[in-house]
């Protein structure tokens, strides 16, 4: 009886769509023709499945569709609340029609329970799809930012520099090492400068990451210089008892570059202007 009662909603599909559209508009949704087409497709598939059985494989098509709609709406700028409101509005419209069709309170109550159970499960799926989409976007952005924030620059023949900006954690250290070592191989550089001027703070963990990077660089046959050692960083390193005595450190990138020139036995001389 419950299945048959829910199945009669198919006979009132156009009316349901009209009420649903009105509710969406009253909630501030203004996505136009695209939303209207999505709504028609969803309502048609959903009501067909209801007319057959809630256990029908037709509901798999409905679930795939609503996940796709949730993902699409997320990309178009809809919030999780608006995504949820999309199905809540459909539920409200369907319940309104059921109230007009069913006069027996017990039957109406059971029908609404069944309808709510189905739509609530789909609503959970929309949130999961929305969050997965957001996580994918965030993960991609993290990778992009990581690549942008770890550029290895060839500052001179045989000298590369890597300015590090932001916190240095285990994952980022791996990216830093891979970028630096690859650039050393590609350019045949013998000196690498790690500039930590943009690192907000250095603790024992950050220091260990730096030491690992220096060790990996040396294994590649290159010498490593750490620049950007500010007074507060120097005090922290001493306070924590971190041993950086085996590593060449400089206060600025300019000082590190000058040291690199000396190690390569290079001299930069300012050319005198010739007056004609």
């Amino acid at each position: 009886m419950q299945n048959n009662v829910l199945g009669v909603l198919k006979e009132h599909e156009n009316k349901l769509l009209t009420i649903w559209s009105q509710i969406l508009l009253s909630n501030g949704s203004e996505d136009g023709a695209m939303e209207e087409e999505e709504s028609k497709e969803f309502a048609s598939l959903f009501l067909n499945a209801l007319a057959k059985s809630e256990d029908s494989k037709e509901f798999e098509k409905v679930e795939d569709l609503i996940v796709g709609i949730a993902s699409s709406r997320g990309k178009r700028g809809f919030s999780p609340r608006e995504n949820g409101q999309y199905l809540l509005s459909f539920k409200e419209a369907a319940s309104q029609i059921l109230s007009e069709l069913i006069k027996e309170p017990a039957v109406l109550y059971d029908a609404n329970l069944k309808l709510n159970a189905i739509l609530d499960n789909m609503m959970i799926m929309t949130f999961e799809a929305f969050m997965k989409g957001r996580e994918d976007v965030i993960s991609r952005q993290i990778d992009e930012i990581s690549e942008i924030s770890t550029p290895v620059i060839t500052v001179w023949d045989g000298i590369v520099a890597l300015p590090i900006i932001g916190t240095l954690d285990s994952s980022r250290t791996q990216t830093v090492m891979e970028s630096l070592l690859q650039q050393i191989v590609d350019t045949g550089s013998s000196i690498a400068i790690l500039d930590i001027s943009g690192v907000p703070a250095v603790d024992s963990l950050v220091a260990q990451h730096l030491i690992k990077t220096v060790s990996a660089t040396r294994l590649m046959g290159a010498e490593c210089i750490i620049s950007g050692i500010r007074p507060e960083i120097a005090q922290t390193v001493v306070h924590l008892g971190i041993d950086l005595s085996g590593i060449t450190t400089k206060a600025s990138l300019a000082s590190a570059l000058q040291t690199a020139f000396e190690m390569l036995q290079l001299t930069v001389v300012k050319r005198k202007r010739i007056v004609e």
Side-chain angles (χ1 to χ4, degrees):
M1 176 64 179
Q2 291 174 358
N3 293 342
N4 292 336
V5 170
L6 291 178
V8 301
L9 286 171
K10 180 65 179 175
E11 301 172 12
H12 302 269
E13 182 175 338
N14 291 334
K15 184 177 180 180
L16 189 151
L17 280 169
T18 300
I19 297 173
W20 187 17
S21 177
Q22 291 171 350
I23 296 173
L24 286 173
L25 286 173
S26 67
N27 289 329
S29 179
E30 300 177 353
D31 205 29
M34 184 177 289
E35 183 170 86
E36 183 178 350
E37 289 303 315
E38 288 176 344
S39 300
K40 285 182 178 179
E41 187 178 4
F42 169 75
S44 179
L45 275 179
F46 182 79
L47 296 178
N48 281 337
L50 276 183
K52 294 179 180 180
S53 167
E54 78 274 7
D55 297 323
S56 155
K57 288 187 178 180
E58 294 295 319
F59 271 101
E60 294 179 6
K61 299 177 183 177
V62 182
E63 291 168 355
D64 290 341
L65 176 63
I66 195 62
V67 166
I69 290 175
S71 177
S72 172
R73 285 167 64 85
K75 292 176 182 177
R76 300 199 313 262
F78 285 86
S79 67
R81 178 187 178 86
E82 289 170 322
N83 250 347
Q85 192 64 46
Y86 185 74
L87 282 182
L88 281 174
S89 300
F90 181 83
K91 184 197 296 187
E92 185 179 342
S95 295
Q96 184 175 325
I97 292 178
L98 286 175
S99 298
E100 296 173 359
L101 294 174
I102 305 173
K103 302 306 178 183
E104 299 178 40
V107 176
L108 177 61
Y109 176 77
D110 289 340
N112 274 313
L113 277 182
K114 182 73 68 175
L115 180 69
N116 290 346
I118 297 171
L119 288 174
D120 287 348
N121 181 60
M122 289 187 181
M123 197 176 304
I124 292 172
M125 295 176 66
T126 66
F127 277 105
E128 290 175 344
F130 185 89
M131 294 307 297
K132 184 179 184 304
R134 283 292 179 89
E135 287 171 1
D136 290 342
V137 171
I138 292 171
S139 177
R140 186 172 66 252
Q141 289 175 339
I142 289 174
D143 291 340
E144 291 172 355
I145 291 172
S146 226
E147 291 176 5
I148 294 172
S149 61
T150 54
V152 183
I153 307 164
T154 302
V155 294
W156 204 272
D157 186 24
I159 305 173
V160 294
L162 174 58
I164 303 173
I165 301 172
T167 304
L168 195 62
D169 55 20
S170 299
S171 176
R172 188 136 183 258
T173 299
Q174 184 65 30
T175 303
V176 167
M177 280 198 291
E178 288 176 358
S179 300
L180 184 59
L181 297 181
Q182 187 60 51
Q183 190 70 1
I184 288 173
V185 171
D186 292 344
T187 62
S189 299
S190 57
I191 298 178
I193 301 174
L194 288 179
D195 185 71
I196 60 171
S197 301
V199 178
V202 174
D203 55 18
S204 57
L205 188 60
V206 172
Q208 289 302 318
H209 291 323
L210 289 173
I211 292 172
K212 288 179 181 178
T213 304
V214 171
S215 299
T217 304
R218 286 175 173 171
L219 286 174
M220 296 296 295
E223 188 55 52
C224 195
I225 303 172
I226 298 179
S227 65
I229 305 292
R230 304 186 301 274
E232 58 269 27
I233 289 180
Q235 291 177 17
T236 301
V237 169
V238 172
H239 179 72
L240 293 174
I242 300 169
D243 184 16
L244 296 180
S245 58
I247 302 172
T248 303
T249 58
K250 295 295 175 179
S252 67
L253 181 58
S255 298
L257 187 56
Q258 184 177 355
T259 301
F261 285 155
E262 292 173 356
M263 294 169 70
L264 294 177
Q265 298 181 348
L266 297 174
T267 303
V268 178
V269 179
K270 185 176 181 180
R271 187 174 64 180
K272 294 182 180 180
R273 184 177 180 183
I274 301 175
V275 179
E276 294 181 358

